[in-house]
Amino acid sequence: MARKLIATAYGEPSDVLEAAEVDVPRARRGAVVVQVRAAGLNPYDVKVVRGQMGADPDRLPLSVGGEAAGVVHAAGPDSGFRVGDDVVVYPASGALAEYVVADAANVHRKPAELGFAEASSLLLAGVTAVDTLATLQIDEDDVLLVHGGAGAVGSLVVTEAVAAGATVIATASPRNHDFLRGLGAVPVTYGEGLSEAIAAALDGARLTAVIDTVGTDEAIDVSLELVAPHRIVSVAAWGRGDDGIVLLSGGSERSRHYRRAAVEPLLTDAASGRIAVTIARRFGFDDAADAFDELLGGHPRGKIVFEPR
Ligand SMILES: NC(=O)c1ccc[n+]([C@@H]2O[C@H](COP(=O)([O-])OP(=O)(O)OC[C@H]3O[C@@H](n4cnc5c(N)ncnc54)[C@H](OP(=O)(O)O)[C@@H]3O)[C@@H](O)[C@H]2O)c1
């Protein structure tokens, strides 16, 4: 038997999360069973548990977790993997568990230089960041505003946009401004006075694009004052589609292509240290609800990582 984290109902994490005893999954043809060393927690997981992505009772109990890293425990025929291989699973289903089963197409070899925690928390945010930049075709001629530049998606957007030669302005709480400067962005504080702060950071330059990872009306309204809607890409402002901005869920053919193509380069770049994954906190079955609540708070300062123990 093995343990996995489940939500018995939709609701607050402290009310609905529990560790369930389940059978160790079997490896069917073309799939592998991975013993999870680490699994990245993402805002999406918290939204799913709280019923914000739909509350179909037929899906209960919910398995949680969209990415993991670990060691192949059992390899099905034609999977291309062997027992003992170190791997990253993305996209995963039910990754907050001791074992996760995945189709081989979603299993990637983990570079030896990359730790399990970092590997487990890289790809979901990373492919999203690449998708936003590729959709806008950001290059050295761009002056880009990033909302939420210190978050998991935002910090990778900033890193890659700076690497592409763009001028980058990014919003964050003041405590994250040095972090943003370190990535090569000009930091601005969100909240009251955001418009004026962005104008000061632009210093006469003309904004050419916006990537929003926050989804607030403040972020979208200030962006619409500065650029045409088709130059605003958001991964979070689901209520603002009528404004003509570009909403990316990863579901379109173009997004799927960008995201698939981004996986191997992201693993290579994280292994070489060109891009960084900061771990803010590690948690297990016992403090899972607390970790979910911390992410729900909206200011995690790095990735929150599940480690079964
Ligand atoms: N559509 C997709 O494919 C996709 C994929 C991945 C993620 N997402 C979504 O993208 C969003 C960000 O994900 P993430 O993993 O990057 O989250 P994260 O690591 O938790 O970062 C959230 C960031 O939001 C900032 N923030 C919080 N409240 C804010 C406010 N009122 N105004 C401006 N900034 C604020 C925080 O900045 P400070 O700490 O500096 O205050 C923090 O850096 C989530 O909504 C997530 O669900 C969508």
Side-chain angles (χ1 to χ4, degrees), residues 2 42 87 184 203 294:
N42 287 285
V87 295
D203 195 21
E294 183 174 340

Side-chain angles (χ1 to χ4, degrees), residues 148-176:
V153 179
S155 60
L156 290 168
V157 168
V158 170
T159 301
E160 297 293 5
V162 168
T167 300
V168 182
I169 297 163
T171 70
S173 302
R175 66 181 185 151
N176 287 325

Side-chain angles (χ1 to χ4, degrees), residues 42-44 47 124-125 128 147-154 171-173 175-176 190 213-214 216 218 235-236 238 248-250 259 295 298-303:
N42 287 285
Y44 180 80
K47 293 177 191 176
L124 193 150
T128 305
H147 292 288
V153 179
T171 70
S173 302
R175 66 181 185 151
N176 287 325
Y190 57 81
T213 73
V214 173
T216 55
E218 174 188 74
V235 295
W238 301 111
L248 290 184
S249 68
R259 291 179 187 220
L295 191 57
H299 311 279
R301 296 196 91 169
K303 294 298 299 184

Side-chain angles (χ1 to χ4, degrees), residues 41-152:
L41 184 66
N42 287 285
Y44 180 80
D45 302 319
V46 183
K47 293 177 191 176
V48 166
V49 167
R50 298 179 87 226
Q52 291 167 249
M53 311 304 293
D56 180 355
D58 291 343
R59 292 187 55 217
L60 297 171
L62 295 173
S63 301
V64 197
E67 56 183 335
V71 180
V72 172
H73 169 78
D78 303 331
S79 71
F81 288 91
R82 292 207 303 219
V83 171
D85 287 344
D86 290 348
V87 295
V88 184
V89 185
Y90 175 76
S93 176
L96 302 185
E98 288 181 322
Y99 295 90
V100 66
V101 63
D103 288 340
N106 299 332
V107 182
H108 320 282
R109 294 188 188 276
K110 184 184 79 60
E113 304 80 6
L114 192 59
F116 284 103
E118 290 77 8
S120 78
S121 301
L122 167 70
L123 290 179
L124 193 150
V127 301
T128 305
V130 171
D131 188 11
T132 63
L133 291 159
T135 298
L136 286 165
Q137 298 285 300
I138 296 298
D139 64 21
E140 69 274 10
D141 296 328
D142 280 299
V143 179
L144 173 69
L145 170 64
V146 181
H147 292 288

